[in-house]
Amino acid sequence: MQKLIIDGGLPLNGEINVQTAKNAALPIIAACILTDEPIVIEKCPHLNDIYAMLDIMRHLGCDARFIGDDLHICCRDIALNVINSDLTGKLRSSIFIMGSILSRCRRAYISHPGGCEIGLRPIDLHISGLKGLSVKIVDDCGVICCDGSDMKSAVINLDFASVGATENLMMAAALLDGETLIVNAAREPEIVDLADFINALGGKVSGAGGSVISVTGVKKLHGTTYRPMPDRITAGTYLAAAAAAGGSITVNNVVPDHIFGITERLKKTGARISVRERSVRITAEGRPRPLHKLETNVYPAFPTDMQPQFCAMLARASGSSVIVENLFENRFGYTAELTKMGAIITVKDRVAVIRGVPTLRGATLKACDLRGGAALVVAALSAEGRSVVYGVEHIDRGYEYIESAFSTLGAAVKRVTDN
């Protein structure tokens, strides 16, 4: 069992480069099924979620391997194997592999997906969207059986701007005759990145980043070499950690527009932010100021994946803050661990009230989900004394060598394996 040992109270200083975005790379890997030609995904991050997706790809007969930091994939032959729960249980994002398999093979069999226990995250939008493309879907004892033999392009109106459902439909429509319109589409940067990737394969996707996406099907897609976007949540995590622990860091390889909602709120906590074309610098001194109301919502609003890290930062604020979680009903589970460090947090339903304290103290902690785990690291960096964080496998789902990243910035973090 691995754990992180963090000696807190040290300010963060220096520069750090942001990894490629996990939430962009995963759908791009799934979209590789759309072609039988080789693809190279440059600078693909080495993450548990990526490895889980590659296990699924290999189960389907694809060749997928890392050569250095570049991921080489070739899906020349696809086997319509049932993607069982041993594979899908590790990865929520496994659900949108349905769209790419259906687009190419017109049939797919996949068990219900797993992932972090932060809420229900129903897949009904995926199912109803695919049914709108005339896919026949039956749930057979937990296996979603999809028959796309009569698939047709259509206009799909999403009841909610779901990122995963939008991605699934973009891939499902890529090889259909005619034009498919996705109305009330998600607008996240990762959606734009997937559209750019499909277009790099020879597809015809337009409107990504807006509320209506057009996908005009083509007969065949080809291979390509592609580098996905930087990880905006990783960038935000580094910035939140600096705001919590103090210091001055520069985060490179970032698209500032992608994290505008994060940096604007960091300014409200008293941090000084300077932005350049591909970097953001933060300088923070003393305790953060409180945020009287922080609400999560779909892009371009404040991202739910940054809510736990901000809560950890605000635990030391010079006043009381309120966070409203609008997307996931169970996302405040990590706060019980923060209270072990002396944080004063009251949670009711989807609202957390954080009464800032002058000092957090080190404690033994357990991460139970990805972003909650990142929050524990942020808190430990700003706390007095030593913290031990278990459940590192959750953190490794989305952060590449997090101990090395923060060590680069002057933090005392090391990974240890228990005997």
Side-chain angles (χ1 to χ4, degrees), residues 335-394:
T335 58
E337 298 298 297
L338 294 182
T339 61
K340 295 178 183 178
M341 309 178 77
I344 302 175
I345 304 171
T346 302
V347 177
K348 183 174 176 57
D349 298 328
R350 298 193 184 202
V351 178
V353 178
I354 306 105
R355 196 173 85 194
V357 296
T359 304
L360 296 177
R361 58 182 180 272
T364 298
L365 309 165
K366 183 178 180 181
C368 293
D369 65 79
L370 168 55
R371 305 305 174 185
L376 301 185
V377 173
V378 169
L381 291 170
S382 70
E384 291 186 356
R386 172 167 289 187
S387 295
V388 180
V389 181
Y390 289 92
V392 182
E393 67 276 8
H394 294 289

Side-chain angles (χ1 to χ4, degrees), residues 61-321:
C62 301
D63 179 52
R65 66 189 69 183
F66 273 100
I67 301 179
D69 289 333
D70 295 340
L71 179 59
H72 294 246
I73 297 178
C74 186
C75 301
R76 185 165 289 112
D77 299 307
I78 297 295
L80 281 175
N81 296 320
V82 175
I83 304 173
N84 60 43
S85 57
D86 289 342
L87 295 168
T88 63
K90 300 175 183 177
L91 183 66
R92 177 70 190 180
S93 301
S94 59
I95 189 64
F96 53 54
I97 207 163
M98 269 198 314
S100 56
I101 300 172
L102 278 166
S103 189
R104 179 166 166 187
C105 304
R106 296 298 192 263
R107 290 185 182 274
Y109 308 94
I110 181 168
S111 298
H112 282 267
C116 287
E117 298 298 328
I118 59 175
L120 294 175
R121 301 203 285 190
I123 61 171
D124 58 317
L125 289 173
H126 299 255
I127 300 300
S128 62
L130 292 172
K131 285 182 176 178
L133 297 177
S134 299
V135 179
K136 299 180 181 68
I137 300 178
V138 176
D139 191 328
D140 183 7
C141 298
V143 176
I144 306 167
C145 303
C146 304
D147 178 359
S149 54
D150 295 321
M151 284 177 71
K152 301 177 182 64
S153 56
V155 177
I156 308 297
N157 286 276
L158 292 175
D159 292 336
F160 174 78
S162 161
V163 174
T166 300
E167 291 167 339
N168 232 335
L169 291 169
M170 289 167 64
M171 289 184 272
L175 296 171
L176 292 181
D177 290 336
E179 180 186 29
T180 294
L181 292 179
I182 306 169
V183 181
N184 194 30
R187 299 165 58 189
E188 274 73 2
E190 293 82 2
I191 298 291
V192 178
D193 212 30
L194 177 60
D196 289 344
F197 176 70
I198 293 173
N199 290 340
L201 299 178
K204 294 182 179 179
V205 182
S206 61
S211 60
V212 179
I213 295 176
S214 167
V215 184
T216 301
V218 299
K219 295 294 183 185
K220 184 176 173 59
L221 295 170
H222 55 69
T224 193
T225 297
Y226 190 84
R227 182 171 181 176
M229 60 176 269
D231 197 312
R232 59 194 175 100
I233 304 303
T234 297
T237 301
Y238 295 152
L239 294 169
S248 185
I249 70 169
T250 299
V251 180
N252 297 317
N253 187 36
V254 64
V255 181
D257 284 350
H258 290 176
I259 59 171
F260 179 79
I262 297 169
T263 53
E264 286 302 294
R265 286 162 179 85
L266 286 170
K267 289 178 183 177
K268 292 181 179 179
T269 69
R272 298 196 300 276
I273 302 286
S274 59
V275 177
R276 295 187 177 177
E277 184 178 357
R278 296 287 291 184
S279 69
V280 173
R281 184 169 184 81
I282 181 172
T283 300
E285 299 171 351
R287 295 169 66 186
R289 297 176 193 156
L291 293 176
H292 297 298
K293 190 175 185 182
L294 177 66
E295 291 199 60
T296 67
N297 219 316
V298 296
Y299 189 85
F302 187 82
T304 182
D305 278 357
M306 279 302 303
Q307 178 257 97
Q309 300 91 306
F310 261 61
C311 184
M313 172 192 66
L314 294 170
R316 288 191 59 250
S318 56
S320 294
S321 303

Side-chain angles (χ1 to χ4, degrees), residues 18-56:
V18 172
Q19 69 193 44
T20 295
K22 169 186 86 90
N23 289 337
L26 287 171
I28 285 172
I29 291 171
C32 292
I33 290 173
L34 295 171
T35 178
D36 61 1
E37 297 185 14
I39 292 171
V40 178
I41 301 173
E42 296 180 323
K43 298 292 183 181
C44 188
H46 295 265
L47 302 169
N48 285 353
D49 274 10
I50 297 294
Y51 300 146
M53 179 62 85
L54 296 183
D55 285 342
I56 293 173

